[in-house]
Amino acid sequence: MANVRTYGTSVRVGNWREDVTLEEPCVCPQDTLKDFLERKEKGELTVQKTGYLKQNILREVNLSVSRGGSVCFGDVVMLVNVGGSNRDHCAISINADITSLGKGPSAAIQSPCGVSGGKSLQPCTRIAFVIHSVDGSAEGEPLHYEQSFTLSTTTGFAGGLYLTSDHKTFQKCAKMSRLQEVNLDQQASFLAWWKIVHFDPQERLEHEGLPVPANTKVLISHCKTNHALAVLGDHILWTPYGREYEVVAQTFLDSHKAERDVNHWLLVTSDPAGEGLTLLERPQTQTLATDLQQADTVS
């Protein structure tokens, strides 16, 4: 009777730790190694997924050349905010991590996927967007002020997802500011329709219907909610790519009822004078920040 155990392992008396250890299933080191090798062969290790993500999402992309000075349907552009008092210049960027990847050896980014204001302006898959028509306009035709269009990521790894927004609710809103959320979705629905508006309220009527110039300050307004795309310098997101800004659809007005610089964007294309050279490929004496300031001044 001395060897009879009258208590279960849940009762911590006597050599309870030894009893618990003896009842735990034995994990064979060979099984662990086998499982590791199988996951490695399938590319399912976290380090493999991270490397695959950054290798593809940071791959260089050639922006479209705006020879006529206008933005056209089918163009590949960057959406760049020139910055302000509490933030640096930034571009709308895909905010994807390994959980955003699909399955398979050629996995692409899946929807829904977030966006953020990334500080890196090197043209790559992460910050390249394609302008699409929604009214039947052919590729190569100029985009006009107040004309509806959609913005999608590039096809392939980026998934061809559309920049989308909708009215905020208690369950669906931006994480930090709780304002109207902007994300990427696979459906090119009315929620993905945008339009370009002249940044100066006093000149909007005169510019309505005119071609939208490239590399010039404009507003990007959401067709359904009528809110302008904005980047928030006081709301920081910590992403796999560093410290970035939150992007929302919200119109911010100053004392003169004009949109503030958080709503001002440049549709950046390649430099036509450089025969396809991007702003980042100019001489080092002329930085990108200077280029953006000059474009801001001209506009």
Side-chain angles (χ1 to χ4, degrees):
M1 295 296 293
N3 296 328
V4 176
R5 184 158 58 100
T6 59
Y7 295 96
T9 55
S10 60
V11 181
R12 298 185 174 183
V13 295
N15 296 329
W16 65 268
R17 184 61 190 170
E18 181 180 351
D19 295 336
V20 171
T21 303
L22 291 174
E23 291 189 3
E24 290 180 349
C26 180
V27 180
C28 180
Q30 293 181 350
D31 293 339
T32 303
L33 178 60
K34 181 180 178 181
D35 178 67
F36 172 81
L37 294 176
E38 288 179 354
R39 293 179 58 196
K40 180 180 180 181
E41 184 178 355
K42 295 178 181 179
E44 296 179 351
L45 298 179
T46 300
V47 64
Q48 290 177 309
K49 290 183 178 180
T50 302
Y52 174 78
L53 172 66
K54 292 194 174 183
Q55 178 184 0
N56 287 275
I57 204 170
L58 300 179
R59 184 167 299 179
E60 183 179 356
V61 170
N62 293 324
L63 301 180
S64 298
V65 178
S66 178
R67 297 182 183 275
S70 300
V71 177
C72 300
F73 292 109
D75 281 356
V76 179
V77 301
M78 296 191 304
L79 309 180
V80 177
N81 183 277
V82 296
S85 58
N86 64 339
R87 69 192 186 283
D88 300 324
H89 55 258
C90 63
I92 301 294
S93 308
I94 303 173
N95 187 12
D97 55 22
I98 59 175
T99 62
S100 306
L101 292 176
K103 296 182 179 180
S106 300
I109 296 176
Q110 304 295 304
S111 66
C113 181
V115 295
S116 57
K119 299 180 183 180
S120 175
L121 300 184
Q122 181 66 39
C124 63
T125 301
R126 187 172 181 241
I127 60 177
F129 287 85
V130 185
I131 300 175
H132 300 283
S133 167
V134 298
D135 58 7
S137 299
E139 288 192 5
E141 293 186 7
L143 172 65
H144 298 85
Y145 283 105
E146 304 290 342
Q147 184 178 12
S148 299
F149 66 98
T150 60
L151 286 163
S152 78
T153 59
T154 55
T155 56
F157 178 79
L161 305 178
Y162 292 87
L163 194 68
T164 304
S165 188
D166 198 0
H167 290 290
K168 66 177 181 178
T169 64
F170 286 112
Q171 293 79 22
K172 187 176 178 61
C173 58
K175 294 180 180 180
M176 301 292 293
S177 63
R178 314 302 293 177
L179 297 175
Q180 185 173 313
E181 184 182 29
V182 177
N183 57 16
L184 298 169
D185 192 78
Q186 61 182 358
Q187 299 295 331
S189 64
F190 182 56
L191 300 179
W193 288 24
W194 304 83
K195 61 182 179 180
I196 300 297
V197 180
H198 196 276
F199 80 98
D200 189 345
Q202 297 182 354
E203 298 186 20
R204 284 175 190 165
L205 185 61
E206 290 81 354
H207 284 81
E208 185 174 349
L210 295 179
V212 177
N215 309 311
T216 301
K217 185 167 60 177
V218 296
L219 303 180
I220 304 176
S221 179
H222 190 242
C223 291
K224 178 181 178 180
T225 63
N226 204 34
H227 276 301
L229 195 65
V231 58
L232 306 180
D234 52 352
H235 289 86
I236 304 300
L237 299 176
W238 293 96
T239 73
Y241 316 94
R243 183 173 176 268
E244 300 185 344
Y245 305 122
E246 186 171 62
V247 173
V248 298
Q250 180 70 35
T251 303
F252 294 89
L253 301 177
D254 60 18
S255 58
H256 301 287
K257 302 298 181 182
E259 288 77 8
R260 293 162 51 189
D261 56 7
V262 295
N263 293 126
H264 295 166
W265 298 91
L266 304 176
L267 300 180
V268 177
T269 61
S270 290
D271 179 18
E275 295 297 326
L277 295 179
T278 66
L279 295 173
L280 298 176
E281 293 172 324
R282 295 186 187 179
Q284 296 297 323
T285 55
Q286 188 176 16
T287 64
L288 179 60
T290 303
D291 292 331
L292 296 177
Q293 290 175 2
Q294 290 178 350
D296 187 33
T297 304
V298 172
S299 62

